[in-house]
Amino acid sequence: MVNNIPQSLITKWQGIADLIAELLNIPAALIMRTEDEYMEVFVSSKSDNNPYKPGDKEKWHGLYCETVIKSQEKLLIPNALKNKCWDKNSDIGLGMIAYLGYPINYPDNTPFGTICVLDLKENNFSSIYEKLLIQFKGAIENDLLLFETFKTKERKQYESITLQDKSLNIKNEELQATEEELTASNYTLKENIEQLYISEEKLNDAERIALVGHWEFHLSEKKVVASQSAKLIYGIDPQKENLTIDKVKTITMPEYIPNMDKALVDLITNGKTYNQTFKIQRANDGEIRDIHSMAEFRKEKNMVFGVIHDITKIKKTENELNNKNLELESIFRVAPTGIGIVNNRVFTEVNPLICIMTGYTKKELIGKNAKVLYSSKEEFDRVGKEKYDQIAKKGTGTIETQWKK
């Protein structure tokens, strides 16, 4: 679980909150964090008439966001004054009577908080605004996943590897450089987002920057209506060409088409979830891209509404992290130093050399307390105290002792 969110992500999320408030023309867009049954304003839009300040906290007692976290579902309240369940809510004291919110979770599905918007007047919040909040919810959860991946790797190295060699240091520097590149990219994205204004043209810009787009499939007319960003993702000129089902199938890699056709039929006829990940070969440059698409069937309009997201960069980052993990695991196996990974001084992993040094097999060491290697309990306690005191002060610990075989 991520506790200390870096400033680079807070800055990026501030840009998201400001953009949402501007696009929806509302006084407050918030990213909330929950801890110990308290709600904290983590990020608040810098918009007019916004009474919420970062750091504001309130104990759970029937709050809007508390309900979202407990239910793990969307909460839409067009007018709390007209709703007996919400007409005594504390936010009414601030004039906020309309609310739309979605849960934000850590990668392990425990609650981080919510992303929500509030208004001083009755507001039904259109479906396109709901889709926009869902996309930004996904972006924030992806940020938490990427950051926790880096922090987990960093923590394992800090707690577990007792002797660092030059090769491991080089790999850590490469991971740090990757994190810095992501931070720089997020800062650039923030600068772009801050330039957007409320208009259809600017909404298209927002979709293009976030690499998302939306589309509609009108079944009666067999007609597709797609946003400019959706067309750009597929590699067609938004000013000169229209997106059709036939063109989508031409651009989509053929091995994915049967599953996508079946998923669309299941959505329309059986109400099943449409959630597809597939690859395309863009029409304009032939580049292979990874795409994630979600859709819902709107029966009253006999129309399918969908959202697509170009996840190529996310996939690339995941692959790079996996490759780094494999490289580190390889170094761990062949390092000319005995390396043991411990948790509360119990072995969770060892490399071959430490087995040779101690005379134990890997199976004999895993799950065993490191005490088995020491000649006495006094020596075991001395090493533990001195080493962990050094780690607490300097981040690393070095000590000489003798092990028994």
Side-chain angles (χ1 to χ4, degrees), residues 7 48 71 86 95 116 138 207 212 218 243 267 278 318 328 340 350 365 372 376 404:
Q7 186 59 46
D48 294 337
S71 68
W86 295 103
C116 62
E207 285 191 342
V212 299
H218 298 266
L243 197 61
L267 169 67
F278 54 96
E318 290 175 351
L328 288 173
V350 294
L365 285 176
V372 300
S376 67
K404 65 178 183 179

Side-chain angles (χ1 to χ4, degrees), residues 94-278:
L94 300 175
M96 297 297 177
I97 65 171
Y99 175 90
L100 172 63
Y102 289 88
I104 297 174
N105 291 328
Y106 289 106
D108 63 359
N109 288 324
T110 58
F112 171 86
T114 66
I115 181 171
C116 62
V117 292
L118 300 100
D119 203 347
L120 296 166
K121 61 183 182 300
E122 183 170 325
N123 193 331
N124 287 292
F125 298 108
S126 70
S127 61
I128 188 64
Y129 292 149
E130 291 185 11
K131 293 296 180 184
L132 190 62
L133 255 65
I134 289 172
Q135 288 301 312
F136 283 126
K137 157 188 160 68
I140 292 170
E141 289 180 336
N142 279 336
D143 287 340
L144 290 172
L145 173 61
L146 287 173
F147 182 64
E148 183 162 359
T149 300
F150 283 117
K151 295 302 292 182
T152 299
K153 181 60 61 179
E154 192 176 274
R155 186 169 58 253
K156 285 182 179 179
Q157 292 170 346
Y158 172 79
E159 294 176 348
S160 305
I161 300 179
T162 57
L163 296 174
Q164 300 287 331
D165 63 20
K166 185 176 180 181
S167 296
L168 284 175
N169 286 331
I170 292 173
K171 296 305 176 183
N172 286 336
E173 290 171 2
E174 291 175 353
L175 286 173
Q176 182 64 35
T178 301
E179 185 176 2
E180 291 172 356
E181 289 173 3
L182 288 173
T183 301
S185 176
N186 288 340
Y187 182 77
T188 301
L189 178 61
K190 171 190 175 295
E191 286 185 329
N192 291 333
I193 289 176
E194 290 176 346
Q195 303 302 317
L196 301 178
Y197 298 94
I198 302 172
S199 70
E200 182 177 355
E201 180 182 354
K202 297 304 178 182
L203 181 57
N204 286 333
D205 286 345
E207 285 191 342
R208 174 176 55 79
I209 293 168
L211 296 178
V212 299
H214 66 273
W215 53 271
E216 300 172 2
F217 181 30
H218 298 266
L219 303 180
S220 300
E221 307 168 28
K222 294 184 178 179
K223 177 183 178 182
V224 176
V225 177
S227 67
Q228 290 187 16
S229 182
K231 294 178 182 179
L232 290 172
I233 289 172
Y234 278 104
I236 67 174
D237 189 333
Q239 306 301 327
K240 297 180 180 180
E241 297 182 74
N242 292 322
L243 197 61
T244 65
I245 290 295
D246 289 340
K247 189 175 290 292
V248 170
K249 289 186 175 182
T250 300
I251 296 171
T252 302
M253 303 296 284
E255 61 266 29
Y256 296 95
I257 292 176
N259 283 341
M260 294 174 66
D261 286 345
K262 183 179 184 302
L264 185 60
V265 171
D266 285 342
L267 169 67
I268 296 170
T269 59
N270 303 319
K272 292 187 177 181
T273 300
Y274 185 92
N275 189 339
Q276 296 288 304
T277 301
F278 54 96

Side-chain angles (χ1 to χ4, degrees), residues 302-318:
N302 198 29
M303 178 261 286
V304 177
F305 179 88
V307 177
I308 62 171
H309 184 194
D310 186 337
I311 58 172
T312 306
K313 290 185 178 179
I314 295 174
K315 286 281 189 180
K316 181 180 178 182
T317 300
E318 290 175 351

Side-chain angles (χ1 to χ4, degrees), residues 378-389:
E378 290 74 18
E379 178 64 5
F380 172 76
D381 291 339
R382 180 189 73 82
V383 170
K385 183 179 185 307
E386 291 188 21
K387 181 171 63 178
Y388 287 109
D389 283 348

